[in-house]
């Protein structure tokens, strides 16, 4: 196949094709991600030059630089990349499952469902049970929203238009529910809750990183192993069944993976919007719609976009720290309008 490089193990037991352009692009994106991380680590109220950043990362250099980087900036950079990758992976999965380019966890209500249970946890259970349980609570809400969406949108199959419309309505419903919980919050910390719902990674620490790392680094590779099922599903249910794919089982598993990624991201960063929509479309323009290429490129692009958005929030309005969700919405909302416009013209 043109553009693919065959690989075989020494014992000839394992063989697969590697897409040369995608591998090169992944290395480029990894380099961009590393450069963006070094730049982000150095910028802020205290400027640290790139050489000093690299020294401080390994515990050398000025003590003040080491403290600022290792305790404040590096956890935030790690969270930004992990959350961006998780949301982008979730969006890519949803678009593949639903066969709808407008599907993303925030637009169709999955993020909203996760936010409801996450706010419920923060309002009534925080301090009484371990914060490590927050992703599980967020996952319950995201899964409930996904199941409800799928059930309401099903009518002899899934209609893309019906899916998006019901998803927008479900997203509005979950937003109203979170607002009501904030209004009746007995702790009167509405400002903090609103900032969390907008999407913020302010004051994150290494414990937050440990909360999301297992979900992102485990679920994304598992989703990658299901690439051929997503590709076959793009041809329609009848074709997938005739090819031997267990359509409903695979769809359920992929949906659970998407919910797990979105819920984990919401649990540590709040309701950040549009990354799950933006990154897969950017990746699709670069490597096409084949899922084994689309997923890793989407994840890296999501991490880069999230990292740049957080850098803008930290530095553009010093000494203020603007929530990262403001910047992702500022970029994502016009992009969403463009997608709707382009879809209408192509119809």
């Amino acid at each position: 196949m043109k553009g693919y490089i065959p690989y075989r193990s020494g014992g000839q037991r394992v063989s697969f094709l590697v897409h040369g352009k995608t591998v090169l692009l992944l290395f480029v994106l990894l380099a961009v991600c590393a450069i963006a991380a070094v730049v982000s680590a150095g910028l802020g109220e205290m400027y640290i030059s790139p050489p000093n950043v690299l020294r401080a990362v390994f515990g050398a250099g000025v003590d003040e630089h080491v403290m600022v980087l290792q305790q404040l900036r590096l956890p935030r950079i790690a969270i930004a990349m992990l959350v961006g990758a998780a949301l982008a992976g979730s969006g890519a999965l949803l678009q593949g499952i639903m066969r709808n380019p407008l599907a993303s966890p925030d637009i169709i209500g999955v993020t909203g469902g996760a936010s409801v249970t996450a706010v419920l946890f923060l309002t009534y259970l925080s301090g009484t049970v371990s914060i490590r349980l927050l992703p599980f609570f967020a996952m319950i809400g995201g899964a409930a929203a996904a199941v409800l969406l799928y059930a309401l949108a099903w009518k002899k199959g899934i209609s893309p238009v019906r899916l998006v419309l019901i998803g927008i309505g479900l997203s509005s419903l979950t937003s109203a529910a979170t607002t009501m919980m904030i209004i009746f919050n007995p702790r009167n910390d509405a400002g903090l809750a609103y900032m969390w719902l907008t999407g913020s990674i302010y004051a994150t620490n290494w414990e937050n990183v440990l909360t999301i790392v297992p979900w992102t680094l485990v679920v994304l590779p598992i989703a990658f192993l299901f690439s051929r099922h997503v590709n076959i599903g793009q041809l329609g249910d009848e074709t997938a069944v005739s090819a031997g794919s267990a359509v409903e089982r695979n769809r359920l598993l992929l949906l659970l993976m998407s919910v797990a990624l979105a819920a984990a991201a919401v649990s540590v960063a709040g309701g950040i919007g549009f990354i799950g929509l933006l990154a897969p479309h950017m990746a699709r323009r670069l490597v096409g719609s084949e899922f084994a290429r689309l997923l890793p490129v989407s994840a890296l692009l999501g991490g880069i976009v999230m990292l740049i958005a957080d850098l803008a929030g930290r530095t553009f309005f010093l000494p203020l720290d603007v929530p990262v969700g403001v910047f992702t919405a500022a970029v994502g909302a016009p992009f969403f309008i463009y997608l709707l416009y382009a879809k209408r013209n192509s119809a």
Side-chain angles (χ1 to χ4, degrees), residues 221-266:
I222 294 174
F224 179 81
L225 296 177
F226 277 75
S227 296
R228 69 184 184 91
H229 297 293
V230 179
N231 293 331
I232 294 174
Q234 297 294 311
L235 303 176
D237 289 358
E238 292 183 1
T239 303
V241 170
S242 65
S245 176
V247 174
E248 295 302 327
R249 185 195 67 188
N250 292 331
R251 183 175 290 150
L252 176 61
L253 290 173
L254 289 165
L255 182 61
L256 290 175
M257 293 179 208
S258 176
V259 170
L261 289 169
V266 168

Side-chain angles (χ1 to χ4, degrees), residues 304-320:
I304 292 169
V305 170
M306 183 75 175
L307 184 58
I308 294 173
D310 181 56
L311 176 61
R314 285 197 299 110
T315 59
F316 279 12
F317 302 98
L318 286 173
L320 296 177

Side-chain angles (χ1 to χ4, degrees), residues 127-145:
T128 60
V129 296
S130 173
I131 193 67
R132 294 285 180 88
L133 294 176
L134 181 56
F136 291 98
F137 278 82
M139 190 180 299
I140 291 171

Side-chain angles (χ1 to χ4, degrees), residues 201-226:
I201 54 177
Y202 176 76
T204 52
N205 52 45
W206 289 114
E207 184 175 357
N208 299 128
V209 175
L210 293 175
T211 298
I212 191 175
V213 158
W215 301 98
T216 305
L217 298 187
V218 172
V219 176
L220 281 176
I222 294 174
F224 179 81
L225 296 177
F226 277 75

Side-chain angles (χ1 to χ4, degrees), residues 152-165:
L152 293 175
W154 179 269
K155 186 179 180 182
K156 298 180 181 178
I158 294 292
S159 166
V161 174
R162 188 164 61 245
L163 181 71
V164 171
L165 291 176

Side-chain angles (χ1 to χ4, degrees), residues 183-205:
I183 291 174
F184 293 102
N185 187 347
R187 301 182 183 181
N188 294 319
D189 52 359
L192 178 62
Y194 271 119
M195 185 176 72
W196 185 85
L197 288 173
T198 302
S200 175
I201 54 177
Y202 176 76
T204 52
N205 52 45

